[in-house]
Amino acid sequence: SVFTPSTPCFSKKAFALPGMISAPATISTSGCGVVSFVNAIYALNGEYIDPTMLAQYSNSHGHYFYMQGTADTLYEDFARAKGKFYHFKWDGKIYDMTSLKRHLQNGGTAVALVPGHYIAIVDYRETDNSFLVLDSAIYGKRPTTIHGDWINEGTLRSGTMYCSYFHLFSRVK
């Protein structure tokens, strides 16, 4: 199952920043980094991290910037603080597809930055060189659906799906 920011309970839950003058953001409007993280860990080991709690953690620990979204510092910090409880660890930030493939083949998952958005990448299929992408915010410019999609490597290297980098996660007991 793919969790999305537009899930009714997320579209109304506000998380205000200290000193915020305008309306607070919601997970629906600003939560792709949070929801992609939730999807990556759920696909990794079946552990459900509550997105509202994670959004509040992100905000209170300086990992959310109003009108800019989630800072990639969230992933390492939350793994250090709560990874043991949720049975995962952060394995680092990488920039190459070869390392990503190896990580996925070894049972790991990833959160990737595409232009202005985060996605979860949770599996690799060698037979057709494609990756299982869970996109938490579907819109017409990305070739994704709410159900998860096998996307070929070429697509992840160009346009609206160009992956700048990957945060890697693996299981711990």
Side-chain angles (χ1 to χ4, degrees), residues 113-134:
L113 178 68
V114 299
H117 184 57
Y118 285 106
I119 59 173
I121 301 178
V122 300
D123 202 1
Y124 173 68
R125 191 168 60 196
E126 191 171 13
T127 56
D128 62 354
N129 196 33
S130 61
F131 300 81
L132 182 55
V133 171
L134 305 180

PDB file of all heavy atoms in Angstrom, residues 113-134:
ATOM      1  N   LEU A 113      15.618  12.092  -4.308  1.00  0.00           N
ATOM      2  CA  LEU A 113      15.176  13.440  -4.661  1.00  0.00           C
ATOM      3  C   LEU A 113      15.073  13.534  -6.175  1.00  0.00           C
ATOM      4  O   LEU A 113      16.047  13.301  -6.894  1.00  0.00           O
ATOM      5  CB  LEU A 113      16.167  14.495  -4.147  1.00  0.00           C
ATOM      6  CG  LEU A 113      15.805  15.928  -4.519  1.00  0.00           C
ATOM      7  CD1 LEU A 113      14.538  16.379  -3.796  1.00  0.00           C
ATOM      8  CD2 LEU A 113      16.957  16.869  -4.222  1.00  0.00           C
ATOM      9  N   VAL A 114      13.864  13.829  -6.649  1.00  0.00           N
ATOM     10  CA  VAL A 114      13.640  14.177  -8.050  1.00  0.00           C
ATOM     11  C   VAL A 114      13.312  15.673  -8.044  1.00  0.00           C
ATOM     12  O   VAL A 114      13.153  16.254  -6.976  1.00  0.00           O
ATOM     13  CB  VAL A 114      12.519  13.310  -8.682  1.00  0.00           C
ATOM     14  CG1 VAL A 114      12.905  11.833  -8.651  1.00  0.00           C
ATOM     15  CG2 VAL A 114      11.176  13.518  -8.024  1.00  0.00           C
ATOM     16  N   PRO A 115      13.247  16.347  -9.193  1.00  0.00           N
ATOM     17  CA  PRO A 115      13.054  17.804  -9.166  1.00  0.00           C
ATOM     18  C   PRO A 115      11.874  18.258  -8.285  1.00  0.00           C
ATOM     19  O   PRO A 115      10.716  17.984  -8.585  1.00  0.00           O
ATOM     20  CB  PRO A 115      12.830  18.149 -10.636  1.00  0.00           C
ATOM     21  CG  PRO A 115      13.623  17.111 -11.369  1.00  0.00           C
ATOM     22  CD  PRO A 115      13.407  15.848 -10.559  1.00  0.00           C
ATOM     23  N   GLY A 116      12.198  18.893  -7.160  1.00  0.00           N
ATOM     24  CA  GLY A 116      11.198  19.448  -6.265  1.00  0.00           C
ATOM     25  C   GLY A 116      10.365  18.450  -5.489  1.00  0.00           C
ATOM     26  O   GLY A 116       9.317  18.810  -4.954  1.00  0.00           O
ATOM     27  N   HIS A 117      10.816  17.215  -5.382  1.00  0.00           N
ATOM     28  CA  HIS A 117       9.955  16.170  -4.818  1.00  0.00           C
ATOM     29  C   HIS A 117      10.789  14.977  -4.353  1.00  0.00           C
ATOM     30  O   HIS A 117      11.841  14.696  -4.915  1.00  0.00           O
ATOM     31  CB  HIS A 117       8.985  15.730  -5.917  1.00  0.00           C
ATOM     32  CG  HIS A 117       7.962  14.727  -5.520  1.00  0.00           C
ATOM     33  ND1 HIS A 117       7.071  14.924  -4.496  1.00  0.00           N
ATOM     34  CD2 HIS A 117       7.684  13.515  -6.039  1.00  0.00           C
ATOM     35  CE1 HIS A 117       6.274  13.864  -4.408  1.00  0.00           C
ATOM     36  NE2 HIS A 117       6.637  12.991  -5.326  1.00  0.00           N
ATOM     37  N   TYR A 118      10.293  14.281  -3.330  1.00  0.00           N
ATOM     38  CA  TYR A 118      10.909  13.031  -2.884  1.00  0.00           C
ATOM     39  C   TYR A 118      10.025  11.843  -3.266  1.00  0.00           C
ATOM     40  O   TYR A 118       8.791  11.951  -3.227  1.00  0.00           O
ATOM     41  CB  TYR A 118      11.084  13.018  -1.359  1.00  0.00           C
ATOM     42  CG  TYR A 118      12.196  13.883  -0.847  1.00  0.00           C
ATOM     43  CD1 TYR A 118      11.923  15.086  -0.212  1.00  0.00           C
ATOM     44  CD2 TYR A 118      13.528  13.496  -0.972  1.00  0.00           C
ATOM     45  CE1 TYR A 118      12.942  15.886   0.282  1.00  0.00           C
ATOM     46  CE2 TYR A 118      14.552  14.287  -0.486  1.00  0.00           C
ATOM     47  CZ  TYR A 118      14.249  15.479   0.143  1.00  0.00           C
ATOM     48  OH  TYR A 118      15.265  16.264   0.630  1.00  0.00           O
ATOM     49  N   ILE A 119      10.660  10.728  -3.604  1.00  0.00           N
ATOM     50  CA  ILE A 119       9.967   9.477  -3.905  1.00  0.00           C
ATOM     51  C   ILE A 119      10.655   8.350  -3.135  1.00  0.00           C
ATOM     52  O   ILE A 119      11.814   8.474  -2.749  1.00  0.00           O
ATOM     53  CB  ILE A 119       9.983   9.142  -5.417  1.00  0.00           C
ATOM     54  CG1 ILE A 119      11.428   9.034  -5.939  1.00  0.00           C
ATOM     55  CG2 ILE A 119       9.172  10.169  -6.208  1.00  0.00           C
ATOM     56  CD1 ILE A 119      11.566   8.541  -7.375  1.00  0.00           C
ATOM     57  N   ALA A 120       9.939   7.252  -2.929  1.00  0.00           N
ATOM     58  CA  ALA A 120      10.538   6.049  -2.358  1.00  0.00           C
ATOM     59  C   ALA A 120      10.855   5.084  -3.495  1.00  0.00           C
ATOM     60  O   ALA A 120      10.058   4.924  -4.424  1.00  0.00           O
ATOM     61  CB  ALA A 120       9.582   5.393  -1.367  1.00  0.00           C
ATOM     62  N   ILE A 121      12.023   4.459  -3.425  1.00  0.00           N
ATOM     63  CA  ILE A 121      12.398   3.399  -4.369  1.00  0.00           C
ATOM     64  C   ILE A 121      12.627   2.161  -3.518  1.00  0.00           C
ATOM     65  O   ILE A 121      13.486   2.154  -2.641  1.00  0.00           O
ATOM     66  CB  ILE A 121      13.657   3.768  -5.172  1.00  0.00           C
ATOM     67  CG1 ILE A 121      13.420   5.068  -5.948  1.00  0.00           C
ATOM     68  CG2 ILE A 121      14.031   2.623  -6.121  1.00  0.00           C
ATOM     69  CD1 ILE A 121      14.621   5.549  -6.747  1.00  0.00           C
ATOM     70  N   VAL A 122      11.829   1.110  -3.782  1.00  0.00           N
ATOM     71  CA  VAL A 122      11.778   0.004  -2.833  1.00  0.00           C
ATOM     72  C   VAL A 122      12.181  -1.358  -3.394  1.00  0.00           C
ATOM     73  O   VAL A 122      12.233  -2.334  -2.642  1.00  0.00           O
ATOM     74  CB  VAL A 122      10.386  -0.079  -2.174  1.00  0.00           C
ATOM     75  CG1 VAL A 122      10.088   1.233  -1.434  1.00  0.00           C
ATOM     76  CG2 VAL A 122       9.301  -0.390  -3.172  1.00  0.00           C
ATOM     77  N   ASP A 123      12.478  -1.434  -4.689  1.00  0.00           N
ATOM     78  CA  ASP A 123      12.902  -2.718  -5.257  1.00  0.00           C
ATOM     79  C   ASP A 123      13.579  -2.467  -6.601  1.00  0.00           C
ATOM     80  O   ASP A 123      13.407  -1.404  -7.210  1.00  0.00           O
ATOM     81  CB  ASP A 123      11.705  -3.651  -5.433  1.00  0.00           C
ATOM     82  CG  ASP A 123      12.073  -5.135  -5.503  1.00  0.00           C
ATOM     83  OD1 ASP A 123      13.286  -5.465  -5.401  1.00  0.00           O
ATOM     84  OD2 ASP A 123      11.158  -5.961  -5.642  1.00  0.00           O
ATOM     85  N   TYR A 124      14.347  -3.462  -7.041  1.00  0.00           N
ATOM     86  CA  TYR A 124      15.021  -3.410  -8.340  1.00  0.00           C
ATOM     87  C   TYR A 124      14.772  -4.735  -9.044  1.00  0.00           C
ATOM     88  O   TYR A 124      14.876  -5.803  -8.437  1.00  0.00           O
ATOM     89  CB  TYR A 124      16.522  -3.179  -8.171  1.00  0.00           C
ATOM     90  CG  TYR A 124      17.295  -3.290  -9.460  1.00  0.00           C
ATOM     91  CD1 TYR A 124      17.130  -2.341 -10.466  1.00  0.00           C
ATOM     92  CD2 TYR A 124      18.161  -4.348  -9.686  1.00  0.00           C
ATOM     93  CE1 TYR A 124      17.819  -2.441 -11.663  1.00  0.00           C
ATOM     94  CE2 TYR A 124      18.865  -4.451 -10.877  1.00  0.00           C
ATOM     95  CZ  TYR A 124      18.681  -3.498 -11.866  1.00  0.00           C
ATOM     96  OH  TYR A 124      19.365  -3.604 -13.063  1.00  0.00           O
ATOM     97  N   ARG A 125      14.436  -4.654 -10.333  1.00  0.00           N
ATOM     98  CA  ARG A 125      14.207  -5.843 -11.155  1.00  0.00           C
ATOM     99  C   ARG A 125      15.253  -5.861 -12.255  1.00  0.00           C
ATOM    100  O   ARG A 125      15.217  -5.048 -13.180  1.00  0.00           O
ATOM    101  CB  ARG A 125      12.787  -5.799 -11.712  1.00  0.00           C
ATOM    102  CG  ARG A 125      12.329  -7.065 -12.366  1.00  0.00           C
ATOM    103  CD  ARG A 125      10.843  -7.046 -12.634  1.00  0.00           C
ATOM    104  NE  ARG A 125      10.465  -5.940 -13.506  1.00  0.00           N
ATOM    105  CZ  ARG A 125       9.219  -5.498 -13.652  1.00  0.00           C
ATOM    106  NH1 ARG A 125       8.229  -6.051 -12.970  1.00  0.00           N
ATOM    107  NH2 ARG A 125       8.956  -4.500 -14.470  1.00  0.00           N
ATOM    108  N   GLU A 126      16.194  -6.780 -12.121  1.00  0.00           N
ATOM    109  CA  GLU A 126      17.325  -6.849 -13.043  1.00  0.00           C
ATOM    110  C   GLU A 126      16.918  -7.238 -14.466  1.00  0.00           C
ATOM    111  O   GLU A 126      17.533  -6.780 -15.439  1.00  0.00           O
ATOM    112  CB  GLU A 126      18.356  -7.839 -12.500  1.00  0.00           C
ATOM    113  CG  GLU A 126      19.680  -7.797 -13.216  1.00  0.00           C
ATOM    114  CD  GLU A 126      20.745  -8.625 -12.527  1.00  0.00           C
ATOM    115  OE1 GLU A 126      20.415  -9.424 -11.630  1.00  0.00           O
ATOM    116  OE2 GLU A 126      21.915  -8.463 -12.896  1.00  0.00           O
ATOM    117  N   THR A 127      15.881  -8.058 -14.610  1.00  0.00           N
ATOM    118  CA  THR A 127      15.492  -8.548 -15.931  1.00  0.00           C
ATOM    119  C   THR A 127      15.200  -7.432 -16.928  1.00  0.00           C
ATOM    120  O   THR A 127      15.483  -7.574 -18.121  1.00  0.00           O
ATOM    121  CB  THR A 127      14.264  -9.486 -15.853  1.00  0.00           C
ATOM    122  OG1 THR A 127      13.196  -8.789 -15.202  1.00  0.00           O
ATOM    123  CG2 THR A 127      14.605 -10.765 -15.109  1.00  0.00           C
ATOM    124  N   ASP A 128      14.649  -6.323 -16.452  1.00  0.00           N
ATOM    125  CA  ASP A 128      14.386  -5.200 -17.359  1.00  0.00           C
ATOM    126  C   ASP A 128      14.979  -3.887 -16.843  1.00  0.00           C
ATOM    127  O   ASP A 128      14.608  -2.814 -17.321  1.00  0.00           O
ATOM    128  CB  ASP A 128      12.891  -5.058 -17.642  1.00  0.00           C
ATOM    129  CG  ASP A 128      12.062  -4.763 -16.400  1.00  0.00           C
ATOM    130  OD1 ASP A 128      12.620  -4.783 -15.277  1.00  0.00           O
ATOM    131  OD2 ASP A 128      10.854  -4.509 -16.558  1.00  0.00           O
ATOM    132  N   ASN A 129      15.899  -3.993 -15.883  1.00  0.00           N
ATOM    133  CA  ASN A 129      16.600  -2.831 -15.352  1.00  0.00           C
ATOM    134  C   ASN A 129      15.630  -1.738 -14.901  1.00  0.00           C
ATOM    135  O   ASN A 129      15.753  -0.574 -15.263  1.00  0.00           O
ATOM    136  CB  ASN A 129      17.587  -2.281 -16.391  1.00  0.00           C
ATOM    137  CG  ASN A 129      18.596  -1.337 -15.781  1.00  0.00           C
ATOM    138  OD1 ASN A 129      19.000  -1.492 -14.633  1.00  0.00           O
ATOM    139  ND2 ASN A 129      19.020  -0.361 -16.556  1.00  0.00           N
ATOM    140  N   SER A 130      14.650  -2.154 -14.071  1.00  0.00           N
ATOM    141  CA  SER A 130      13.669  -1.175 -13.610  1.00  0.00           C
ATOM    142  C   SER A 130      13.570  -1.190 -12.084  1.00  0.00           C
ATOM    143  O   SER A 130      13.957  -2.147 -11.421  1.00  0.00           O
ATOM    144  CB  SER A 130      12.306  -1.418 -14.250  1.00  0.00           C
ATOM    145  OG  SER A 130      11.808  -2.687 -13.907  1.00  0.00           O
ATOM    146  N   PHE A 131      13.027  -0.106 -11.559  1.00  0.00           N
ATOM    147  CA  PHE A 131      12.945   0.145 -10.125  1.00  0.00           C
ATOM    148  C   PHE A 131      11.486   0.332  -9.738  1.00  0.00           C
ATOM    149  O   PHE A 131      10.738   1.002 -10.453  1.00  0.00           O
ATOM    150  CB  PHE A 131      13.723   1.415  -9.763  1.00  0.00           C
ATOM    151  CG  PHE A 131      15.180   1.344 -10.104  1.00  0.00           C
ATOM    152  CD1 PHE A 131      15.629   1.584 -11.390  1.00  0.00           C
ATOM    153  CD2 PHE A 131      16.109   1.020  -9.131  1.00  0.00           C
ATOM    154  CE1 PHE A 131      16.975   1.516 -11.709  1.00  0.00           C
ATOM    155  CE2 PHE A 131      17.464   0.948  -9.429  1.00  0.00           C
ATOM    156  CZ  PHE A 131      17.891   1.190 -10.725  1.00  0.00           C
ATOM    157  N   LEU A 132      11.105  -0.220  -8.584  1.00  0.00           N
ATOM    158  CA  LEU A 132       9.750  -0.028  -8.090  1.00  0.00           C
ATOM    159  C   LEU A 132       9.702   1.289  -7.317  1.00  0.00           C
ATOM    160  O   LEU A 132      10.330   1.439  -6.272  1.00  0.00           O
ATOM    161  CB  LEU A 132       9.318  -1.190  -7.198  1.00  0.00           C
ATOM    162  CG  LEU A 132       7.888  -1.122  -6.659  1.00  0.00           C
ATOM    163  CD1 LEU A 132       6.865  -0.963  -7.777  1.00  0.00           C
ATOM    164  CD2 LEU A 132       7.586  -2.361  -5.816  1.00  0.00           C
ATOM    165  N   VAL A 133       8.960   2.248  -7.855  1.00  0.00           N
ATOM    166  CA  VAL A 133       8.859   3.597  -7.308  1.00  0.00           C
ATOM    167  C   VAL A 133       7.494   3.777  -6.654  1.00  0.00           C
ATOM    168  O   VAL A 133       6.461   3.469  -7.257  1.00  0.00           O
ATOM    169  CB  VAL A 133       9.052   4.653  -8.420  1.00  0.00           C
ATOM    170  CG1 VAL A 133       8.740   6.055  -7.917  1.00  0.00           C
ATOM    171  CG2 VAL A 133      10.461   4.575  -8.988  1.00  0.00           C
ATOM    172  N   LEU A 134       7.513   4.276  -5.431  1.00  0.00           N
ATOM    173  CA  LEU A 134       6.295   4.664  -4.739  1.00  0.00           C
ATOM    174  C   LEU A 134       6.293   6.188  -4.672  1.00  0.00           C
ATOM    175  O   LEU A 134       7.103   6.784  -3.975  1.00  0.00           O
ATOM    176  CB  LEU A 134       6.254   4.068  -3.324  1.00  0.00           C
ATOM    177  CG  LEU A 134       6.404   2.556  -3.219  1.00  0.00           C
ATOM    178  CD1 LEU A 134       6.354   2.114  -1.762  1.00  0.00           C
ATOM    179  CD2 LEU A 134       5.362   1.835  -4.051  1.00  0.00           C
TER     180      LEU A 134
END
